[in-house]
Amino acid sequence: AQKVTQAQTEISVVEKEDVTLDCVYETRDTTYYLFWYKQPPSGELVFLIRRNSFDEQNEISGRYSWNFQKSTSSFNFTITASQVVDSAVYFCALSGVRFGAGTRLTVKP
Amino acid sequence: EAGVTQFPSHSVIEKGQTVTLRCDPISGHDNLYWYRRVMGKEIKFLLHFVKESKQDESGMPNNRFLAERTGGTYSTLKVQPAELEDSGVYFCASSQYQLSEKLFFGSGTQLSVL
C-alpha cells in the first residue's frame, strides 16, 4: 500500500527563521516519484519539485532545499530565512496518487 | 497560457440534490485528474482520464459519482444524489504526460452539502 505522512499539521515561525517540513512515505514500488506542492491562499496547488527514486541527491533552489533519504523513506523540505510570502499549505505527494494531509506554514513578520 | 479552470468555485446544495462540477484542463494536456480534500485530511485521488478514457477510477467513492470527459477536452464530475459526507474541496489537475510528471492544478470547487 502507498501512504504519505506529513506529521506536522501546522507550523508557525517568525520571519527569517529556517523551517523544515517533514514527509515520510511508504511504497513497495522500486520506481516512484516524490513531489512537493505549495497551496497559497488563492487555492491552486503549485508544483515545487519532483524527485525520482533513483536520484537521492539533495536539491537546492534559492531558499528552498530538499533532503531525500531512501533509507528512512523521507523527503523533507527546508525553507531557509523564511518570508511572509512562504505562508501556505504544503503538500508532499507520491507519484501523483498519494498526497499527505498537508502542513500549514505561517510565517509572521 | 490559460491554466486549469474549475467551475463553480463554490457550491452549496442540500442533501439529495445533484451537483455538477466542471474542469477545463490546459490545452493539449491529455491527462486529467480529479481529487477531493476533506478539511484537514489528505488530498484523495478520485480518478484519472487519458483523453476521453478512464485510466484509473479506483478512488471514486461510490456509484453516486459520475465523471465524464467528452471529446477528451473538459471534464465533468456529477454527484447524484449528494450526501453530507461529499462535502469538501474538489480539485482538478492536468498534465501532458502521466503521473510521473508535475501536475497543474485548478483552484478547486468548494462543495458544501447541507
Side-chain angles (χ1 to χ4, degrees), chain A residues 37 47 50 96-97 99 101, chain B residues 35 37 42 91 99-100 102-103:
Chain A
Y37 288 87
F47 168 84
R50 181 188 77 151
V97 177
F99 280 75
Chain B
Y35 299 86
R37 185 182 190 222
E42 76 275 13
F91 289 103
L99 284 167
S100 59
K102 69 178 182 180
L103 301 176

Side-chain angles (χ1 to χ4, degrees), chain A residues 33 35 37 39 42-45 47 50 89 91 95-102, chain B residues 35 37 40-45 56 91 99-108:
Chain A
Y33 296 84
F35 299 81
Y37 288 87
Q39 184 187 31
S42 55
E44 79 282 4
L45 277 74
F47 168 84
R50 181 188 77 151
V89 181
F91 292 93
S95 297
V97 177
R98 287 282 178 266
F99 280 75
Chain B
Y35 299 86
R37 185 182 190 222
K41 303 290 186 181
E42 76 275 13
I43 296 174
K44 183 177 181 297
F45 168 83
D56 180 355
F91 289 103
L99 284 167
S100 59
E101 298 296 320
K102 69 178 182 180
L103 301 176
F104 295 82
F105 279 83
S107 297

Side-chain angles (χ1 to χ4, degrees), chain A residues 58-95:
Chain A
N58 291 332
E59 181 155 341
I60 298 174
S61 176
R63 297 183 296 106
Y64 294 173
S65 62
W66 290 269
N67 183 0
F68 176 29
Q69 292 196 346
K70 288 181 74 172
S71 60
T72 56
S73 297
S74 65
F75 187 41
N76 296 338
F77 172 31
T78 297
I79 301 174
T80 303
S82 60
Q83 299 177 1
V84 173
V85 293
D86 296 327
S87 297
V89 181
Y90 292 86
F91 292 93
C92 180
L94 175 60
S95 297

Side-chain angles (χ1 to χ4, degrees), chain B residues 42-109:
Chain B
E42 76 275 13
I43 296 174
K44 183 177 181 297
F45 168 83
L46 297 179
L47 87 160
H48 170 205
F49 282 101
V50 178
K51 298 185 180 180
E52 67 275 9
S53 299
K54 293 175 184 175
Q55 177 86 352
D56 180 355
E57 54 182 328
S58 59
M60 294 288 266
N62 50 59
N63 58 11
R64 295 186 293 102
F65 287 75
L66 175 63
E68 294 180 325
R69 190 180 183 194
T70 307
T73 55
Y74 72 90
S75 173
T76 58
L77 180 64
K78 180 191 286 188
V79 185
Q80 178 182 30
E83 298 290 343
L84 299 179
E85 63 265 25
D86 300 332
S87 297
V89 180
Y90 289 77
F91 289 103
C92 175
S94 72
S95 68
Q96 189 169 5
Y97 304 110
Q98 298 216 11
L99 284 167
S100 59
E101 298 296 320
K102 69 178 182 180
L103 301 176
F104 295 82
F105 279 83
S107 297
T109 294

